[in-house]
Structures are given as C-alpha cells and as structure tokens.
Amino acid sequence: MIVVCANRLYTPQEEIRDPLLFVEGGLISAVSSRAQREIPKNATVIDLGHDGPAEAILAPGFVDIHMHGGAGLDVMRAAPGELPHLNKFLTTHGVTGYFPTTVAAPLDQTCTALDRLADAIDAARNGDAVQARPLGIHLEGPFLSHKRRGVHPPECLVEPTLEIFERLWQAARGHVRMMTIAPELPGALEVIAEAARRKVCVSIGHSDAVLESARAGVHAGARHATHTFNAMRPLDHRDPGILGEVLTDPQISADIIADGIHLAPEVIQIFLQAVGLERSVLITDAMAAAGMPDGTYQLGPIQVEVKDGKCTKDGTLAGSVLTMDRAVRNVTRFSNWTLRDAVRAATLNATRAVGLTQHGQISPGAEANLVVLNPDGEVRRTIVRGHC
Ligand SMILES: [Zn+2]
C-alpha cells in the first residue's frame, strides 16, 4: 500500500487539508485527512508536503478530451513507436489521460489513423504505463458545417450518414468516445442518435445551427459543445443560434480553449458564468507545435504556421499550443474562479461529460492518477496509477 501525504487535496468537489491518500494496485482505496486516520506501518509513504518551499496540492490528473498532438507529433500521423514521446510531454504538464482527436481528412487516411490509435489505446490499457495515455478517440469531423469549418479541408467534409459513421466506428474498433458534429446537417440527427446509443459523447460544434437545430441535436442525444464560440454561428440578441442553446441548457456541458488567443478573457468569463462550475470543461485543442518553437507543423493533412504561439492556416486559427496546466492557470487569471474551480473544469467536469468514471476525481475506486500543484497552479509532479 502507498500513502501519499500533501498539504491540501482537491477531490475536486471538496478540499481536504493535510490529506492522506491511500493507493493499492494503482487504484485509490481511501481518502481522508491526517487527523482522521493513522498511516499503516507497512505502507510506503510519499510525503509531498515537505519536498518544496510552497504548499503541495494534490489534485486529479488532468484529462484533455480534445487534443491533436504536441512535442512535434500529430496524433493522426504519429507512428506507433512515437506516441510515448507525446505521452511523456503531456505528463510533464499534469495530463494523465486524453482523447487523441482527428481532423477532417480523406476517409481512407482517417480510417488508417483510427486503426493505429485503437492499437495505442489497447496497448496502453493492457500495459503498465506510467505516462499519460490515450483513453478514447474524439472524431472532430468529418460531419462539420462548410460555413464554420475553421481549417478543416472543405473537400474532406461529408454529410452525416450511418454508413460513414459505421465505417469510422469499425476502423476505430469501438474506441470512439466523442464526436463533434454540426446538428443542422442533413442526416445529422440520425447519426447523433446512433452515436449516443453507442455511448459516444456527441458534441455540437463547427456549426452554423440556428437555435431550433441546435436544440434538435440535443434532443437527438448530443450532450456537449465543442470549443464554444469558436467555429460557431455567433450570438445575436434576436438570433441566439447554437450559442443560445449551449449557454442556457443545464442538461449539456461545454468546453473552451482558454489560451487567451481563441477567446477574449471577458468571453471566457461570460462562458464560465453561464455554463457554471459543474459543466464548464477546459480543452487544449493543442496540435503538434505545443511545446515546440515557432515554425511549420502538420495538423492531420493541414499545414499550419505557428508564430508567437498562434497557429494559423491562411489567417484562420488552427489548433493551439496550449497545455492543460496553463489553461488552468489562465482561468484563474481571466476570471474569479479559484484554482480548485479551474482544476475541476480540467478533470471531473471533462470526465463526467464523456462518461469516464475512473478518471478525473480523487475517490475510492478511481485510478490513482494525480497531479501535484503549487498554489499558483505550476505542476510539481504527476503520478500515474500510483507511480511517481
Ligand atoms: Zn480541434
């Protein structure tokens, strides 16, 4: 048995002072305060409270449900042997689980990438990895609106059909856990309903939907929204559109890219106030350039220029170089949310949105995936399945 001690712990719904965290077989077996429990004599003790000048805060490892790459690697193009390099990079930024996310590409290319990612997910599940690992696949496309496609190649966008969805599902061998889709497209509602039936978190986005179409998507089974405000029909006070649904429906959660580039800080405040403490989710939408110098990088089939941390293709934003620890710190800078609130948006809210019950929280039965933070949100170390 391993016992982890720290100065504070975020479950994240609650804060515990002077916590003790018990880990057995890579899973959390108990959480309590030091005052409530003794440390068993035979336990291995990891005392984080005295390994630095600042307080050590123990939080669930971050989970990024929308991530295209980092450390020079693109998840659609990386060879199987290259992914550990990306996993290591993510781990240093406090991430313990993520959804590799596709962009619209020729279907054959997408299917090849899905097959490889499915292998990586299976290998990580069966292995004893001590790094961040892929937990499921997010299909961002190909069922996106031409009008709000961002940089997804127009020739690769297709109208939703059950046949194409089935082909992608088979290529990914059932590992699709999330799908971004524009609900106003012909055929979308049928695909949304079928994906939801297979426990995929259907997320509305890259969409020009009017309010009624967005609501119809939610009625069909969508329960989340992708990078709110970006690649969406803008909010108009007489034509609220998809944002009217995303910002007012308490049944759905929604995510944002809090890099300070995709959204103005004031818009992040509007989002956090509207969507609230329980349903706001942070994503990075990071691409291969994350953690790398400015230059030219691939985002699936798309070539992207990165200058001063801004990723663009022909002037349109194309992913980010954001890391999840910075997203968390940005939220505390841009709004009145506390570090614990921001951590919640990067952990529990994300895993609840996509139905990953063993991740994103410090509670008995969950995997012992943890990040140790300073009070300013800097990552001090990351623990995966009980391994430091
Ligand atoms: Zn994306």
Side-chain angles (χ1 to χ4, degrees):
M1 178 193 284
I2 301 169
V3 180
V4 187
C5 315
N7 302 103
R8 284 189 274 161
L9 180 149
Y10 299 156
T11 65
Q13 304 99 311
E14 288 173 27
E15 176 171 339
I16 300 174
R17 294 208 157 261
D18 293 318
L20 292 180
L21 176 74
F22 296 80
V23 178
E24 284 176 86
L27 301 180
I28 295 166
S29 58
V31 192
S32 76
S33 78
R34 198 180 284 245
Q36 286 171 326
R37 257 184 98 155
E38 295 280 299
I39 298 175
K41 291 222 160 40
N42 59 350
T44 307
V45 178
I46 302 174
D47 190 354
L48 304 166
H50 300 97
D51 75 347
E55 282 202 320
I57 301 168
L58 204 48
F62 303 139
V63 176
D64 191 351
I65 58 174
H66 189 146
M67 216 280 308
H68 301 282
L73 292 169
D74 179 80
V75 296
M76 289 184 81
R77 299 162 63 95
E82 291 179 320
L83 272 188
H85 181 64
L86 172 62
N87 296 343
K88 194 169 172 197
F89 167 75
L90 294 171
T91 310
T92 62
H93 291 283
V95 173
T96 56
Y98 67 98
F99 282 177
T101 303
T102 61
V103 295
L107 271 181
D108 287 340
Q109 274 181 37
T110 303
C111 288
T112 306
L114 292 175
D115 179 53
R116 272 207 309 263
L117 289 171
D119 286 343
I121 292 166
D122 285 336
R125 182 185 284 169
N126 301 329
D128 193 23
V130 293
Q131 308 287 358
R133 69 183 204 269
L135 298 170
I137 297 166
H138 178 170
L139 291 176
E140 188 179 15
F143 308 134
L144 309 178
S145 157
H146 275 271
K147 229 174 149 182
R148 305 286 172 195
R149 66 182 176 84
V151 298
H152 293 259
E155 66 279 13
C156 300
L157 303 181
V158 294
E159 286 190 354
T161 64
L162 288 178
E163 290 70 26
I164 296 173
F165 175 71
E166 185 64 31
R167 198 172 148 203
L168 298 168
W169 179 266
Q170 294 296 340
R173 305 200 299 279
H175 284 304
V176 175
R177 295 293 299 257
M178 188 166 181
M179 177 175 67
T180 295
I181 183 169
E184 72 276 21
L185 298 179
L189 299 183
E190 201 182 5
V191 171
I192 290 172
E194 181 56 25
R197 199 181 66 74
R198 297 185 195 190
K199 306 269 189 287
V200 174
C201 170
V202 179
S203 186
I204 50 177
H206 279 280
S207 161
D208 196 47
V210 296
L211 183 64
E212 291 70 25
S213 302
R215 284 207 172 132
V218 172
H219 190 71
R223 60 175 198 263
H224 191 76
T226 295
H227 43 53
T228 309
F229 291 101
N230 294 120
M232 276 185 184
R233 181 191 189 86
L235 183 72
D236 178 275
H237 55 296
R238 272 187 284 274
D239 173 17
I242 179 173
L243 278 161
E245 170 63 9
V246 173
L247 297 177
T248 64
D249 187 342
Q251 295 181 65
I252 63 170
S253 49
D255 60 54
I256 49 164
I257 309 166
D259 62 352
I261 294 171
H262 282 75
L263 299 174
E266 294 72 17
V267 174
I268 291 178
Q269 286 182 39
I270 290 169
F271 173 88
L272 297 174
Q273 285 179 25
V275 179
L277 210 51
E278 298 187 358
R279 297 182 295 113
S280 298
V281 174
L282 298 180
I283 58 166
T284 64
D285 201 3
M287 44 99 54
M292 301 293 285
D294 285 355
T296 305
Y297 296 88
Q298 287 296 133
L299 172 59
I302 310 152
Q303 201 173 67
V304 174
E305 298 301 324
V306 182
K307 194 160 182 285
D308 302 326
K310 195 171 171 179
C311 314
T312 55
K313 176 178 168 58
D314 304 332
T316 301
L317 282 175
S320 84
V321 294
L322 184 62
T323 53
M324 195 54 101
D325 55 333
R326 197 148 58 81
V328 166
R329 292 194 295 274
N330 282 347
V331 164
T332 65
R333 278 174 49 216
F334 296 158
S335 74
N336 60 0
W337 277 27
T338 65
L339 180 62
R340 181 162 67 87
D341 298 337
V343 162
R344 180 175 178 152
T347 58
L348 180 66
N349 292 0
T351 56
R352 279 207 175 142
V354 299
L356 288 170
T357 53
Q358 277 205 307
H359 299 264
Q361 56 188 313
I362 297 182
S363 66
E367 280 192 16
N369 297 331
L370 309 157
V371 60
V372 185
L373 299 170
N374 281 340
D376 61 4
E378 293 287 338
V379 174
R380 208 188 271 189
R381 71 164 100 178
T382 305
I383 298 172
V384 179
R385 293 196 261 203
H387 299 278
C388 280

